[in-house]
Amino acid sequence: MRLSDISIERPVFATVMSLLILVAGAAAFFSLPVRELPDVDSPVVSITTLYVGASPETVEASVTQPLEDVLNGIEGIRNIDSLSAFGVSTVNVHFTAETDIDIAATDVSNSIQRALGDLPQEAERPIVRKTGANNTPIMFLNVFGDAYSPVDRTDVADRLVKTPLQLLPGVSQAIISGERRYAMRIWLDPARMAALRVDPGDVRRAIQDSNLQLPAGEVEAATRKFTINADARLADPAAFEAIVIREEDGNPVRIRDIGWVELGSENYQMVTRFTARDTVGVGIVRHSRANELQVSDAVHARLEEVKKTLPEGFEADVAVDWTQYVRDSLREVSFTLAISFAVVVLVNLIFLQSKTSTFVASVAIPISLIGTFAGMAMLGFSLNMLTLLGLVLAIGLVVDDAIVVLENVYRRQELGEPMLQAARNGAREVGFPVLATTAALVSVMVPLGLMSGETGLLFREFALAVAVSIAISAFVALTIVPMICSRWLRVTHRTDRVSVAINARIDAVRGAYDRTLAFALTHRRGVAVLFVLLLLTAVGLFRVLPQTFLPVEDRGRFITVIRAPEGSTIAYTRSVLDKVEKTLLATPEVKTFFAAIGIGFGTPASSSTGMVFSSMQDWDERERSQQEVVAELFPKFMAIPEALVFVFSPSSLQRQSNADVEIALTSSSASLDEFAGAMNAILARARQLPMLVNVDSDLRLANPQLDIVFDRERAADLGVPVSAVSQALAMLVSQGKADDFILRNEQYDVVMALESPFRTVPEQLSQIHVRTRDGAMVPLAAMIEVKPRIGPTFLNHYDLQRSATLTANLAPGAALGP
């Protein structure tokens, strides 16, 4: 073959080509992103729109559907799903795997521009962002300050921890989990407001007129020019309390006359704790192409410097480092890779009985494997469990071509040919068979890498990495191997006792094989019957074996979900969390846990929902597995009467849902009641199946709501526009943003709210007054009627249709099968 002839005649060429492969592979190795598994998530663009105070039904009709209508025609969309919750709409546009996420985000932004005119004026401008598995934090840090308030802990976490960490190479962003940002809380007493004839609109206008900064320009004298800074912004609670709203009988009415002001938090419906201590978490998100192990090491190193800058009484440490499991797994696979290489070399040495022959046959292994890293980098792959396992498998394949060439050259020498001629003739004879074998192996791997769906994405890197290594091994077998054989391979017949003993064993094995083959050839019917029996046995075992996408692993962590009745307060859910924490603290295998209430984790935030992420002791420090601990905790948590509490092991894949079973129900014409009835029937049937646990649905229709019915005739008689009634409710009840203020070079919200928690809703509404056209104050209760009802917590759409998804986990020992 021409390639082998060139390598034999020009040994420097063959050597340089192999060295080039090694250098390219080594350089690519350090640039490859490191992950546990390949990225199987398709590109997703998310659109979030805030519509403060709107019910899920209103958000669905006035925000979500107009956005979905204009998004439907974008090229490359796989599906669209959306969620309409109280005051917020989230639309997720899923694109096909080959779609460029940057181009997709631009197309989505352009399409949304056409829908802006159809959105309510009160709704905020939609926010478009790229999402996916790469936005999942790889580690969480804790910021403790037991003597400080949650807003102080958030401020320290934002300024002193988040900022320096998100500047590290490879870090995409740092996310504060459980943050409570500062807010100027203006607590108003509606009874005092009514007595002084002040309505909510008066307060907001007074704040906006008194808290502002205007560009006043500059003045110029004979020799100097001065910039005028007309800064009338307020940042002190006392200054806000002194704001004059109006004058009553010549006396100014100030905010302190109708309430009081504090520098508090914009959100009190959130709790974050770490192993039963109040904390603020900082999540580290890496760049998509960054090495997450290097990012983790950099964060650990920088954190030691950050600790020195924290005020007295504050602590910061690593709460969860999910790269540790990846690190341990990759270390284990790398060790297996080294063992495999050593075993292959040892086997070659035993059977070839020559150090030179063993070196010639084994030289293809490091060149092929290291060169594969260059191919992985060109294909945009990552260094993960499956690609490394592919290289372990490839060790036994890449050495085959070299052995074929080596054996044929050795045979030619045994026939009496000189070293150079034997290498040339031997490589020529097997050149085409080597290529044919390589093509056959590659043709097996490539279709596996071309599979569609999540399975194809998962195994694409595995299959193509093996195919690249096999292709490189064929090149090595036809270049460097015949070149080495032409210079150093010599026929030797060893007669020492070790070689004689090994040959005797090999001859015994060969003799046993010859006898077995002879028996099979003389008993053909028996062999055929045995083959059929083995085939039937294999089919039977295949049908009874548990079937799952990925095997169950002891990952050293599990998740607990707390679902209190809809409409539960933060205090009620916190009481349930206290019981969960006591149980976890009493479990010796649990090392640490991070608990959160009021954080959505993929769904709208709710004070009735909480999650606990538990990390277990190291595998060497505990006797029970993760699955055994979960099985013990499951009945304990299910016995908590105040809420639905269940525990499960997370999936190996980074999915939005960790359910083993999902059933989607969609409809474009059924009413909400009909839709709920169908889903409840499916739920009832699924809960009867013994192999399913944690059966639930994302269609939740038990949220207590109050419908406000306006008495328009009465409002008209009193001279009060309906808009004034709505705005008064929105300003005092929704606690939306009334203005903003600057504190330590950061901008925060000014929030207006009712001062006193009245016992009943009618009592609250009777205290809120608005001004009529003649200046009189009239209570809202005179113009509205309150009707309590049970409504949806949020509404889902899938491909422009109303949808609901049933989720469930498999019971311990159960498996999905035919």
Side-chain angles (χ1 to χ4, degrees):
M1 178 171 258
R2 185 64 178 165
L3 184 59
S4 59
D5 291 344
I6 294 175
S7 301
I8 294 172
E9 294 170 2
R10 292 175 172 79
V12 176
F13 167 77
T15 304
V16 170
M17 292 301 295
S18 296
L19 290 176
L20 182 61
I21 293 174
L22 288 173
V23 171
F29 175 80
F30 294 102
S31 65
L32 287 173
V34 177
R35 301 172 55 95
E36 179 186 356
L37 292 172
D39 185 4
V40 299
D41 285 354
S42 300
V44 180
V45 178
S46 178
I47 305 101
T48 303
T49 309
L50 297 180
Y51 188 8
V52 178
S55 65
E57 298 99 320
T58 303
V59 172
E60 179 189 48
S62 59
V63 178
T64 302
Q65 289 185 350
L67 290 177
E68 290 180 335
D69 291 339
V70 298
L71 293 171
N72 195 34
I74 298 177
E75 183 180 359
I77 290 181
R78 191 182 66 182
N79 65 271
I80 300 176
D81 63 65
S82 64
L83 187 148
S84 303
F86 185 80
V88 62
S89 165
T90 302
V91 181
N92 297 313
V93 186
H94 301 258
F95 291 86
T96 55
E98 60 273 8
T99 303
D100 188 312
I101 185 64
D102 296 318
I103 297 177
T106 302
D107 292 341
V108 169
S109 298
N110 294 336
S111 297
I112 287 178
Q113 299 300 318
R114 304 198 308 267
L116 294 180
D118 298 329
L119 301 183
Q121 294 182 354
E122 297 80 6
E124 296 185 11
R125 190 178 183 87
I127 299 174
V128 179
R129 67 180 186 276
K130 296 174 286 187
T131 61
N134 291 330
N135 289 339
T136 303
I138 61 173
M139 58 191 304
F140 274 98
L141 312 178
N142 276 328
V143 178
F144 295 110
D146 296 334
Y148 295 86
S149 66
V151 289
D152 292 331
R153 288 195 292 268
T154 300
D155 186 60
V156 170
D158 186 22
R159 297 174 182 274
L160 302 181
V161 180
K162 171 186 173 181
T163 301
L165 293 181
Q166 68 183 5
L167 298 177
L168 291 174
V171 176
S172 172
Q173 59 178 324
I175 303 172
I176 298 184
S177 177
E179 67 174 340
R180 288 193 183 180
R181 290 175 55 84
Y182 281 117
M184 196 65 67
R185 307 284 302 195
I186 300 179
W187 300 100
L188 301 175
D189 185 339
R192 293 161 65 185
M193 291 174 63
L196 295 175
R197 295 195 300 165
V198 175
D199 71 358
D202 296 334
V203 180
R204 184 170 66 175
R205 283 189 295 272
I207 294 172
Q208 294 174 347
D209 292 341
S210 303
N211 179 40
L212 72 166
Q213 182 177 12
L214 298 176
E218 58 187 18
V219 295
E220 186 175 336
T223 59
R224 297 282 184 179
K225 183 167 61 174
F226 300 89
T227 300
I228 299 177
N229 181 23
D231 189 0
R233 286 189 174 273
L234 305 177
D236 182 52
F240 275 93
E241 287 185 342
I243 292 177
V244 176
I245 303 173
R246 56 185 298 272
E247 289 192 359
E248 180 71 20
D249 298 331
N251 298 317
V253 177
R254 305 177 186 273
I255 288 182
R256 61 169 170 259
D257 298 326
I258 58 172
W260 58 286
V261 182
E262 68 165 342
L263 182 60
S265 171
E266 68 178 10
N267 181 11
Y268 291 101
Q269 302 299 313
M270 187 182 300
V271 171
T272 51
R273 291 166 62 80
F274 182 77
T275 318
R277 290 181 66 187
D278 291 334
T279 185
V280 172
V282 179
I284 305 299
V285 180
R286 67 176 179 89
H287 285 293
S288 59
R289 297 292 299 173
N291 185 322
E292 64 181 55
L293 301 187
Q294 293 178 354
V295 172
S296 174
D297 293 337
V299 170
H300 278 273
R302 180 60 63 88
L303 184 61
E304 296 303 318
E305 301 176 8
V306 169
K307 290 180 180 179
K308 301 175 183 178
T309 66
L310 298 180
E312 184 178 355
F314 279 92
E315 307 171 36
D317 58 20
V318 177
V320 179
D321 187 354
W322 284 320
T323 66
Q324 186 60 43
Y325 179 81
V326 179
R327 194 187 304 271
D328 294 340
S329 300
L330 294 179
R331 184 185 298 115
E332 188 70 21
V333 176
S334 301
F335 183 66
T336 303
L337 189 64
I339 293 177
S340 302
F341 176 74
V343 170
V344 170
V345 172
L346 181 61
V347 170
N348 287 338
L349 180 62
I350 292 175
F351 282 89
L352 297 177
Q353 301 181 36
S354 168
K355 295 179 180 179
T356 302
S357 300
T358 302
F359 170 76
V360 174
S362 303
V363 73
I365 299 177
I367 298 176
S368 301
L369 298 187
I370 296 176
T372 303
F373 297 134
M376 291 168 56
M378 294 175 60
L379 294 171
F381 292 170
S382 62
L383 199 64
N384 54 68
M385 291 284 293
L386 289 181
T387 52
L388 286 180
L389 288 174
L391 296 182
V392 173
L393 173 64
I395 284 181
L397 300 176
V398 299
V399 75
D400 291 347
D401 292 338
I403 291 178
V404 169
V405 175
L406 171 68
E407 285 288 346
N408 202 48
V409 172
Y410 194 87
R411 183 184 66 84
R412 303 290 300 195
Q413 286 192 22
E414 287 182 326
L415 294 177
E417 293 182 0
M419 293 171 54
L420 191 62
Q421 184 179 355
R424 183 181 290 110
N425 294 335
R428 284 178 179 176
E429 285 181 346
V430 299
F432 186 78
V434 166
L435 293 179
T437 304
T438 301
L441 292 174
V442 170
S443 66
V444 172
M445 292 296 170
V446 170
L448 181 61
L450 298 179
M451 294 174 60
S452 61
E454 195 174 71
T455 304
L457 292 174
L458 184 64
F459 289 100
R460 179 173 300 166
E461 297 188 14
F462 167 85
L464 297 184
V466 174
V468 170
S469 65
I470 293 173
I472 295 176
S473 72
F475 177 80
V476 172
L478 296 176
T479 54
I480 192 71
V481 170
M483 187 277 290
I484 296 176
C485 291
S486 68
R487 264 83 181 158
W488 290 287
L489 182 64
R490 290 183 176 83
V491 174
T492 58
H493 297 284
R494 300 184 60 179
T495 58
D496 56 274
R497 284 194 303 175
V498 175
S499 298
V500 172
I502 292 175
N503 288 331
R505 294 292 180 89
I506 294 175
D507 291 339
V509 173
R510 184 184 295 113
Y513 171 73
D514 291 340
R515 291 190 297 271
T516 303
L517 180 60
F519 178 84
L521 293 175
T522 55
H523 299 79
R524 298 178 182 178
R525 292 184 177 178
V527 173
V529 172
L530 179 61
F531 170 77
V532 173
L533 290 177
L534 291 175
L535 180 61
L536 294 176
T537 302
V539 172
L541 291 175
F542 175 79
R543 294 182 62 84
V544 300
L545 283 175
Q547 300 178 22
T548 181
F549 186 50
L550 288 175
V552 178
E553 299 176 287
D554 185 348
R555 304 174 64 84
R557 65 178 188 263
F558 56 88
I559 300 174
T560 306
V561 177
I562 301 173
R563 186 163 296 152
E566 297 295 325
S568 298
T569 63
I570 192 72
Y572 182 91
T573 310
R574 174 69 181 269
S575 66
V576 179
L577 175 60
D578 291 340
K579 296 183 179 181
V580 173
E581 288 182 336
K582 290 180 181 179
T583 304
L584 293 176
L585 290 172
T587 305
E589 289 82 5
V590 176
K591 183 179 181 181
T592 58
F593 53 87
F594 176 80
I597 301 175
I599 299 179
F601 296 110
T603 59
S606 171
S607 60
S608 60
T609 303
M611 297 188 74
V612 184
F613 302 87
S614 301
S615 298
M616 304 181 67
Q617 301 285 354
D618 192 79
W619 294 270
D620 297 332
E621 299 177 2
R622 53 184 166 92
E623 298 180 357
R624 294 192 298 174
S625 68
Q626 169 189 314
Q627 288 70 33
E628 292 174 329
V629 173
V630 169
E632 179 189 89
L633 292 175
F634 189 85
K636 293 182 179 180
F637 288 155
M638 291 297 289
I640 297 177
E642 292 87 355
L644 172 64
V645 183
F646 59 88
V647 59
F648 64 90
S649 299
S651 168
S652 299
L653 291 178
Q654 294 178 335
R655 298 174 172 174
Q656 292 183 345
S657 171
N658 284 284
D660 299 314
V661 179
E662 292 187 0
I663 300 176
L665 178 67
T666 61
S667 174
S668 58
S669 59
S671 66
L672 187 57
D673 292 337
E674 294 172 340
F675 195 74
M679 176 52 70
N680 290 334
I682 299 175
L683 277 174
R685 182 68 184 90
R687 285 169 177 160
Q688 296 175 359
L689 301 176
M691 74 284 296
L692 298 181
V693 295
N694 305 337
V695 180
D696 197 10
S697 168
D698 61 3
L699 181 64
R700 299 171 192 164
L701 304 175
N703 188 42
Q705 298 182 9
L706 298 174
D707 287 343
I708 303 297
V709 180
F710 295 97
D711 188 342
R712 299 180 182 272
E713 296 294 334
R714 178 62 174 163
D717 292 341
L718 294 173
V720 179
V722 174
S723 60
V725 180
S726 300
Q727 291 174 5
L729 281 171
M731 283 186 282
L732 294 182
V733 178
S734 68
Q735 300 187 27
K737 176 181 175 181
D739 202 4
D740 54 56
F741 72 102
I742 302 296
L743 178 66
R744 301 171 193 165
N745 296 323
E746 292 282 346
Q747 181 171 295
Y748 300 98
D749 292 346
V750 176
V751 179
M752 296 165 49
L754 291 174
E755 176 185 5
S756 303
F758 298 96
R759 293 184 179 180
T760 64
V761 174
E763 187 179 359
Q764 293 187 43
L765 298 180
S766 65
Q767 298 293 326
I768 302 176
H769 289 65
V770 293
R771 183 178 291 107
T772 64
R773 71 168 64 95
D774 57 5
M777 302 299 293
V778 59
L780 290 184
M783 296 170 286
I784 62 175
E785 180 183 0
V786 180
K787 292 184 177 181
R789 71 178 178 96
I790 299 298
T793 303
F794 49 82
L795 298 172
N796 292 291
H797 279 193
Y798 183 84
D799 282 349
L800 310 186
Q801 299 184 78
R802 179 167 289 165
S803 68
T805 303
L806 178 147
T807 58
N809 294 103
L810 294 176
L816 292 177

